Amino acid sequence: MPQAKRVALVTGGAKGIGLGIARRLAADGWHVVTADLEAEGPEEAARHVQADIADEAAVRRLVDGIAGTEARLDGLVANAGIMIRKPLRELTLEEWSRVIATNLTSTYLLARATESLLRQAKGAIVTIASTRAHQSEPDTESYSASKGGLVALTHALAISLGPDVRANVVSPGWINVSGEKLSARDHAQHPAGRVGQPADIAALVAWLLSPESSFVTGAEFVSDGGMTRKMIYED
């Protein structure tokens, strides 16, 4: 029997921003399926699947499992991502390819595999990029390229899959995913007055998956406390 509840798939849902998103959607009444390299998912998830979403066969098994178990999919949150931070001269092709596969190619694989289910549900896709799609620190070539690619891939999906399926991208800034103690200076440098929390991103994702955002597609939402709009000059 198809689920009466709306069903969402959240990749990278075992920790960090993905965990925050899974918890928020579950609290909002969604039936949440999480996928992660980690064997254990959040207790709020209805179901957790250990999977490497950079692998085409693993993505197919994941989506086939949703088709067979939940029999519907209303929301895809492509959140899983990794960073390998190395000087360009030390970054191997294998490392570059792993970051691109996990952060970018996986979203293509997931969107392709879930298209039919999402079209049936008139659902929505939300991808999680980064403000590093627009600005960089040293030694982040593979990560920045993958996140910039996600921004472009998402608006392409919005055009290709519309009007049945909406697609939007959220680009977080500094999000305190570990709960570490931060200094007053860390918070004060943000125009919003604080460093972000996973719940900030989760709230935005929840809105983008909801009917309230039905006129929004192909858009990027930067959630960074205003940092990308702040001029910073060295004294």
Side-chain angles (χ1 to χ4, degrees):
M1 291 290 291
Q3 285 285 328
K5 289 184 175 182
R6 292 177 297 170
V7 176
L9 169 61
V10 181
T11 67
K15 56 189 176 182
I17 290 174
L19 173 60
I21 293 169
R23 285 174 170 168
R24 170 60 189 262
L25 294 180
D28 287 352
W30 287 75
H31 176 100
V32 179
V33 178
T34 53
D36 202 290
L37 285 173
E38 301 286 338
E40 299 295 327
E43 61 181 20
E44 294 88 351
R47 194 162 65 85
H48 177 73
V49 179
Q50 185 176 22
D52 179 359
I53 45 82
D55 180 76
E56 183 176 13
V59 169
R60 173 45 62 191
R61 288 192 297 271
L62 171 63
V63 177
D64 284 350
I66 291 172
T69 303
E70 282 79 20
R72 67 181 289 175
L73 184 65
D74 302 79
L76 166 63
V77 182
N79 164 77
I82 61 171
M83 175 187 280
I84 298 175
R85 187 167 182 169
K86 283 187 173 182
L88 183 60
R89 62 187 173 276
E90 298 176 12
L91 184 69
T92 68
L93 178 58
E94 181 181 2
E95 290 169 333
W96 164 276
S97 298
R98 180 60 181 169
V99 173
I100 297 298
T102 302
N103 298 7
L104 178 58
T105 305
S106 64
T107 299
Y108 145 72
L109 293 172
L110 287 159
R112 187 181 66 174
T114 60
E115 177 182 357
S116 178
L117 286 170
L118 288 171
R119 283 190 185 276
Q120 291 174 37
K122 305 298 183 185
I125 297 171
V126 179
T127 65
I128 307 299
S130 169
T131 52
R132 291 173 191 268
H134 304 285
Q135 56 183 172
S136 294
E137 291 178 301
D139 308 327
T140 61
E141 279 73 20
S142 59
Y143 188 82
S144 296
S146 71
K147 295 303 187 178
L150 265 180
V151 173
L153 174 59
T154 304
H155 65 64
L157 289 171
I159 302 306
S160 297
L161 302 182
D164 291 339
V165 181
R166 296 181 300 108
N168 293 287
V169 54
V170 175
S171 291
W174 183 357
I175 306 299
N176 185 9
V177 297
S178 64
E180 65 181 308
K181 184 174 177 57
L182 302 174
S183 70
R185 184 178 180 183
D186 292 332
H187 292 292
Q189 68 178 301
H190 289 73
R194 64 175 177 86
V195 173
Q197 298 291 329
D200 297 315
I201 307 305
L204 184 51
V205 170
W207 179 73
L208 288 170
L209 290 178
S210 77
E212 291 182 338
S213 62
S214 62
F215 195 56
V216 179
T217 193
E220 180 189 11
F221 292 81
V222 174
S223 183
D224 70 342
M227 288 297 288
T228 52
R229 294 301 189 187
K230 179 180 178 181
M231 288 187 177
I232 301 173
Y233 296 98
E234 295 184 8
D235 293 330

